[in-house]
Amino acid sequence: MVSQPVPHLILRTESGNRYLSLTSNNCWTVGRGDDNNFVLPDRWISRNHAMLQRMETGEFYLIDLGSRNGSFVNGRRVSVPVTLHNGDRLTFGQTELEFYSPEIPTGGTDSSLGGIDSQEFTATATLHVRRLISVLVVDIRDFTVMTRQIDEKVLSEAIGTWFRCAGDIIREYGSWVDKYIGDAIMAVWIHGAQGVDQEEMIQIARALSDLHKMTSKLHERYPLPFPLRVGAGLNTGYAMVGNTGTGDRPDYTALGDTVNAAFRLESATKQIGVDVALGETTYEYLMTTLSNPNLFDQHTVNLKGYDTPTVTYAGSFTDLDTFLQISVV
C-alpha cells in the first residue's frame, strides 16, 4: 500500500479502511466519548483514552491519558509519552490503527532553535543550543488522596480531561506541553535572542491563571470527592534546548538547572503554603510591567539538591490574578 502524502492514521474495518488525517492541528484526542477528535466505539476504550501531539520538529508523540486498559505501540504498553515512527501500530482497547507520516525533510530548519539544520540531529544524544527559556511546572494537589476515594473510571476520565485541557491552554498561549508526568505537566517557552518580551511573561502568567481556573471547575463535570487544586513553579533562565534522545527515540526538550529549579520551586509551594513560586529572574521580568511590584512575598527556601538557600517570590492565584488585572501591557 502507498501511504498518503500527509500524516494520517488508518483504521481498518469490515466495511473498509477509514482515513484519519493528522493535519490542520497540533493535537488530536482518541476515545469513546463524543468530545474526542477521533471517536472509537470500542467498550474497552476509555472515554478520553489517548492523545497524539505534533511537536514543532514535526515529530508525533502518543500520550496515554490515564486510560484503564492502556495504550500500546507495536504491542508494547506505553506509560510515558513516546515518539511515533512511520508504520507504527497503535492499539487502544481492541481497536488497532496504523500511523503513517512522510519523512521529515533533511534540508529544513527549525526556526524555534534559531536555524539549526535538521542534519545536525544525529543518532547520539545531542543538545543543540543554549537558549533563554521559561519553564512552568504545574502539579495537581492531593492527587494520591483522591485516587483512594474515587472510582478508577471516573479518575481516568477526569485526569484525561485535565491533561487535554491543560495542553489546549498551553498551546493557546504559545507553547507546548513538554512532559506529562503522572499528575503534573511541564511546559517550556523559548524566548528570543534579545531577551524576554514583557508580553511573553504576561502570556505565561495568563496561561497559569487559566490552568488554575480550569482545574478548579473540574469537579463540576466529574463526581470528585473535593475540588481539585494545582500548585506551580515558574522559572526563567538559560538551558540547552534540542533533541536529547537517540535517532531511534528522539526527545525534543530542555535540560539544565533552569528546568530542575522549576520542579523544586513547585515542590517548595507546599512547604511555604502558597500556590505559585517564581524564580528571581522570572519575578524581575514580570515586575517590569508594574509600577507597584509588591504583590508577591519574598521567601528563602532550601531546594532539594541545592547547597545554598534560594530566593523565591511566591503567592496565591488571587495575587496572580491581581497582577494580571493591573499589569501595564
Side-chain angles (χ1 to χ4, degrees), residues 229-290:
R229 300 182 302 114
V230 293
L234 177 58
N235 195 39
T236 303
Y238 283 91
M240 299 304 293
V241 180
N243 176 23
T244 62
T246 66
D248 180 56
R249 287 295 178 194
D251 183 14
Y252 181 77
T253 189
L255 291 178
D257 184 66
T258 297
V259 178
N260 295 337
F263 279 92
R264 301 308 184 200
L265 286 170
E266 187 280 317
S267 296
T269 61
K270 303 168 189 175
Q271 302 172 19
I272 56 182
V274 297
D275 298 323
V276 181
L278 310 174
E280 278 193 279
T281 303
T282 302
Y283 179 78
E284 291 170 1
Y285 280 122
L286 278 172
M287 293 306 109
T288 58
T289 65
L290 297 179

Side-chain angles (χ1 to χ4, degrees), residues 155-227:
L155 176 65
S156 173
E157 293 181 0
I159 193 63
T161 298
W162 186 79
F163 275 138
R164 188 177 73 255
C165 292
D168 290 342
I169 290 170
I170 296 298
R171 282 186 295 277
E172 180 184 350
Y173 289 101
S175 183
W176 75 97
V177 175
D178 184 280
K179 286 181 173 59
Y180 293 84
I181 314 160
D183 56 352
I185 59 170
M186 165 186 156
V188 176
W189 280 261
I190 301 176
H191 303 299
Q194 303 304 316
V196 181
D197 181 83
Q198 290 181 356
E199 178 61 22
E200 285 184 287
M201 297 307 296
I202 297 296
Q203 289 289 82
I204 297 172
R206 287 175 180 151
L208 178 53
S209 176
D210 283 4
L211 285 167
H212 157 65
K213 292 171 183 174
M214 177 273 292
T215 305
S216 65
K217 294 179 180 178
L218 208 58
H219 72 285
E220 299 173 3
R221 183 171 178 178
Y222 298 99
L224 305 179
F226 47 80

